[in-house]
Amino acid sequence: MIDPLPIQLLAEFFPNGVARYAIGGLLVGLGASIVYLGTGISAGASTFLESTLSYVSGRSRFQQYVSSRDWRVVFTGGIVAGAAVYSLTSGDALQYTTAVQPWRLFVGGVLVGVGTRVGKGCTSGHGICGVGSASRTSLVGVATFLLVAIGVAQVVAALGVSP
Amino acid sequence: MADAERHPLFMPLILLGGLVFGFGLAYSHMARPEVVLDFLQFEDFGLVFVMFGGAAVTGVAYVLAPRLLDGPPLTRRRFERRLKSFDRNVLVGGAVFGVGWGLSGICPGAAYASLGVGNVTILWALAGMFVGAYVQGVFRSRSDAGDATTAGAD
């Protein structure tokens, strides 16, 4: 006799199951681990923003990333291409478009751009490599942006902004 | 950082890592802001599995690599954990990041992956991130220049 409670909870909290999330997460960790094992680099996604700005801005703030900007472009290109490979093989063939409104994406993007630079990392730098390193700074960083994001998303939804 | 003379496999390996990373983000549906927003609104807790699943794998790599290998085969770096110093910026920046993430459902890696699954609308988010990083960088250079007596040329 299977206890129905866990299954019920699974359906309630995970309406899309857990396999896609767990397998996807393991692959994300594998991608970061491949880079780390080969090069010793803890790859994050957000430094690409500043390092790429060094191509167009002479400011010292961005110039410090000149030595790493080329591989960061390659890593980011890999992320885009890897996602495209998934899309092409899974059947939706690059057809997905978000319904979230452009102003939310843009304003959110600006804040993410500022926040990740001030806060020393993003969901991959802090969340994947930092937590993987058992870094207390990263754990605090993740807890901070997770709690704030949950609060903001709840307020935005309560205000009736959708999608 | 000792990358002046790079191993010929350095870039191919970075590309491979990026490919797997991006494939994983798309596979987990994190490239869709709606799925992230569903998590933040407690409608689907799947994101927990993505983040901690990913961190579990890197955790194994960070623990095993220094024990099994002399050093990274493709660079002269050393295997070090990703440790950043803690200060108020981690909290302030994390909070600003959180507001943006909660508003849009988008973070940097997932935004790149979203472009890869054909989401042209995500360019709004990417443009915003570059604007944000630029504004922060300019502000930071100004305050740095204000502190230092030898201000760097603009």
Side-chain angles (χ1 to χ4, degrees):
Chain A
M1 183 79 190
I2 303 164
D3 183 5
L5 187 63
I7 296 169
Q8 207 180 334
L9 285 175
L10 218 58
E12 196 174 328
F13 294 124
F14 301 96
N16 298 305
V18 296
R20 71 156 69 141
Y21 300 115
I23 293 168
L26 294 178
L27 288 170
V28 170
L30 181 64
S33 297
I34 287 170
V35 171
Y36 181 72
L37 290 173
T39 67
I41 293 170
S42 292
S46 57
T47 308
F48 166 77
L49 300 167
E50 274 177 305
S51 68
T52 303
L53 284 165
S54 73
Y55 287 108
V56 294
S57 168
R59 287 187 184 271
S60 57
R61 176 72 191 158
F62 305 123
Q63 291 302 311
Q64 61 178 309
Y65 296 104
V66 164
S67 64
S68 70
R69 64 186 182 184
D70 56 350
W71 73 255
R72 290 185 192 279
V73 168
V74 171
F75 183 66
T76 302
I79 294 175
V80 176
V85 169
Y86 168 77
S87 184
L88 291 169
T89 52
S90 68
D92 67 358
L94 311 179
Q95 291 300 303
Y96 168 76
T97 319
T98 183
V100 174
Q101 302 170 60
W103 75 266
R104 290 180 72 178
L105 296 174
F106 183 77
V107 176
V110 172
L111 294 169
V112 164
V114 172
T116 182
R117 298 300 74 211
V118 175
K120 307 180 186 184
C122 63
T123 29
S124 57
H126 275 321
I128 303 293
C129 291
V131 173
S133 293
S135 153
R136 262 180 287 179
T137 298
S138 287
L139 286 165
V140 173
V142 169
T144 305
F145 62 63
L146 211 48
L147 290 174
V148 172
I150 287 170
V152 169
Q154 303 274 355
V155 169
V156 169
L159 291 173
V161 181
S162 176
Chain B
M1 280 200 186
D3 289 343
E5 43 193 287
R6 278 182 180 154
H7 194 282
L9 288 177
F10 178 83
M11 282 298 187
L13 186 96
I14 295 278
L15 180 64
L16 175 68
L19 282 168
V20 176
F21 195 95
F23 187 93
L25 280 172
Y27 190 100
S28 64
H29 284 50
M30 289 300 110
R32 302 179 176 224
E34 286 88 344
V35 177
V36 176
L37 291 172
D38 278 350
F39 166 77
L40 297 173
Q41 292 162 20
F42 300 148
E43 284 161 19
D44 182 347
F45 287 88
L47 188 146
V48 170
F49 276 84
V50 182
M51 195 174 279
F52 289 100
V57 175
T58 53
V60 171
Y62 279 96
V63 168
L64 290 185
R67 288 172 172 74
L68 300 179
L69 300 168
D70 291 332
L74 304 186
T75 61
R76 290 194 198 152
R77 288 169 187 258
R78 290 187 305 154
F79 284 122
E80 289 169 335
R81 291 157 69 203
R82 184 192 184 276
L83 302 177
K84 301 256 174 176
S85 58
F86 181 81
D87 53 41
R88 207 166 57 94
N89 282 339
V90 176
L91 298 175
V92 174
V96 174
F97 180 93
V99 175
W101 197 34
L103 181 64
S104 64
I106 268 299
C107 60
Y112 314 149
S114 200
L115 195 59
V117 298
N119 186 9
V120 188
T121 315
I122 209 67
L123 287 170
W124 286 104
L126 285 168
M129 285 178 205
F130 276 109
V131 169
Y134 182 74
V135 169
Q136 195 273 340
V138 169
F139 185 77
R140 186 73 162 268
S141 332
R142 284 222 180 115
S143 57
D144 287 353
D147 293 340
T149 44
T150 50
D154 225 29

